[in-house]
Amino acid sequence: MKITEVMKNRMSFSFEVFPPKTDEGVPKLLGALDELYAFKPDFISCTYGAGGSNVGRNLEVVTAIAASRNDTVAVTHFTCVGNTFDGVRKQIDDYLAAGVDHILALRGDLPEGWEGTRGDFDYATDLVTFLRREYGDKLTIAVAGSPEGHIQARSLEADIAHLKQKQDLGADYVMTQLTYDMDQFRYWIDAIRAAGVTIPVDVGVMPVLNKDACIRMCLSMNGCAIPRKLAEVISKYYNDPDGFKKAGIEYTVDQIHEYVSIGIDGLHVYALNKSEDVTTILNASGIRRR
Ligand code: FAD
């Protein structure tokens, strides 16, 4: 089943996990996945450590999702960083052999000190072009969209033009970068539609659970705004982790409700390899129950 077919009929629902850093982390993640399957997600995606050593475990994780006996589609993230034409062919062939035919095609976060990807692909546009040329319709391809504009983009308009380019080169749907700024999200969704981006938009929700992680996620790489409402939660519970988590869960539930009322095509929850907090959030939001 193609995820885009689901999105034609209703809002898709999905989780994101990341490859464990150690071999011992694998069974732990597989246990968390078993809990997450109970929510009947349409897909679970797994990140791909750009140029990193945990790329191998990415294949292990998506293979496990694809082999699980339920209707959950496995989606792998995949980046340009350090990848050659031959290397990409080899890896995509491995994914397809494992039953993984959905891919989020990304440029990738450049490791510190790198100016480019040091591979055969400079941008996600190059990767989408290559994947469509080599694999035709065998792959369902998602691409990233940044509601606040990618940190390296010349302008929001230029970034949206690149998103439109990714669609025109064959992308099937968009998966968004995290944002807590709902006014900006509304502006962006109207702006991309006005620019001719017609493919479905699957929205990423990063649960607000820990003060330091929340600040780091916004500011360390992505340059995402911390809106007043979230800033108030951070200030109020600055030295109270339990109070912060409780208020953060409420914040996340409100954000999910706001996205649903806007009318998005998919909701993608960053599960952070754990099921407990996600269960609390989803039960409170009422969008999915176990
Ligand atoms: P691109 O679309 O290539 O854009 C990068 C920059 O170049 C933008 O400023 C864009 O405007 C500009 N641009 C795009 N195309 C062109 C062009 N043809 N010519 C000139 N300029 C261009 N990173 C990882 O390393 N691993 C992951 O697993 C991962 N998962 C992610 C999941 C999601 C849902 C999202 C939104 C991001 C994820 N990232 C991941 C982060 C992502 O790799 C970074 O945000 C990266 O910096 C940009 O990736 P991109 O695909 O948006 O790049």
Side-chain angles (χ1 to χ4, degrees), residues 25-278:
V26 174
K28 247 170 130 178
L29 173 60
L30 296 182
L33 284 173
D34 279 337
E35 304 270 314
L36 296 176
Y37 293 140
F39 285 102
K40 301 198 183 317
D42 296 300
F43 72 89
I44 297 181
S45 78
C46 180
T47 62
Y48 178 99
S53 56
N54 59 356
V55 165
R57 289 201 192 89
N58 155 287
L59 180 59
E60 205 175 328
V61 174
V62 285
T63 301
I65 297 166
S68 66
R69 266 185 268 121
N70 56 53
D71 294 333
T72 304
V73 170
V75 176
T76 188
H77 298 203
F78 193 83
T79 74
C80 302
V81 176
N83 269 323
T84 59
F85 298 126
D86 282 346
V88 172
R89 263 188 219 106
K90 160 90 186 60
Q91 290 171 82
I92 300 297
D93 288 348
D94 287 346
Y95 286 125
L96 287 172
V100 179
D101 59 3
H102 282 61
I103 181 167
L104 170 59
L106 301 153
R107 183 198 67 183
D109 284 325
L110 302 180
E112 224 173 303
W114 289 33
E115 302 240 316
T117 61
R118 301 189 188 173
D120 287 340
F121 307 85
D122 293 327
Y123 296 104
T125 43
D126 304 327
L127 186 56
V128 173
T129 304
F130 179 83
L131 294 175
R132 270 292 168 247
R133 196 184 62 223
E134 299 277 314
Y135 293 93
D137 288 341
K138 276 191 203 156
L139 292 173
T140 298
I141 303 176
V143 289
S146 302
E148 298 182 43
H150 184 262
I151 185 104
Q152 292 166 326
R154 187 163 34 86
S155 64
L156 185 61
E157 291 69 30
D159 201 38
I160 290 174
H162 290 131
L163 182 60
K164 168 78 165 52
Q165 204 181 347
K166 290 193 261 191
Q167 167 185 280
D168 295 347
L169 291 168
D172 293 303
Y173 70 105
V174 180
M175 293 179 71
T176 65
Q177 185 57 271
L178 90 131
T179 182
Y180 293 114
D181 187 341
M182 298 307 289
D183 290 337
Q184 177 61 25
F185 179 80
R186 282 194 187 80
Y187 175 82
W188 176 80
I189 197 94
D190 288 345
I192 65 165
R193 295 307 187 211
V197 176
T198 55
I199 54 179
V201 174
D202 183 25
V203 172
V205 172
M206 176 65 73
V208 177
L209 298 168
N210 172 281
K211 177 200 64 177
D212 294 333
C214 177
I215 296 172
R216 196 172 53 245
M217 282 308 300
C218 289
L219 303 182
S220 70
M221 285 173 111
N222 301 316
C224 290
I226 298 181
R228 173 76 194 191
K229 196 175 149 197
L230 183 55
E232 281 173 9
V233 172
I234 294 172
S235 295
K236 193 164 169 198
Y237 300 102
Y238 204 78
N239 293 312
D240 175 3
D242 293 340
F244 181 87
K245 192 169 180 177
K246 194 162 171 283
I249 286 175
E250 279 170 26
Y251 187 94
T252 307
V253 170
D254 285 351
Q255 199 181 18
I256 289 174
H257 288 161
E258 223 171 320
Y259 276 132
V260 172
S261 73
I262 290 170
I264 54 173
D265 299 296
L267 189 85
H268 184 65
V269 177
Y270 298 87
L272 306 167
N273 288 18
K274 294 184 218 131
S275 61
E276 202 180 301
D277 294 326
V278 165

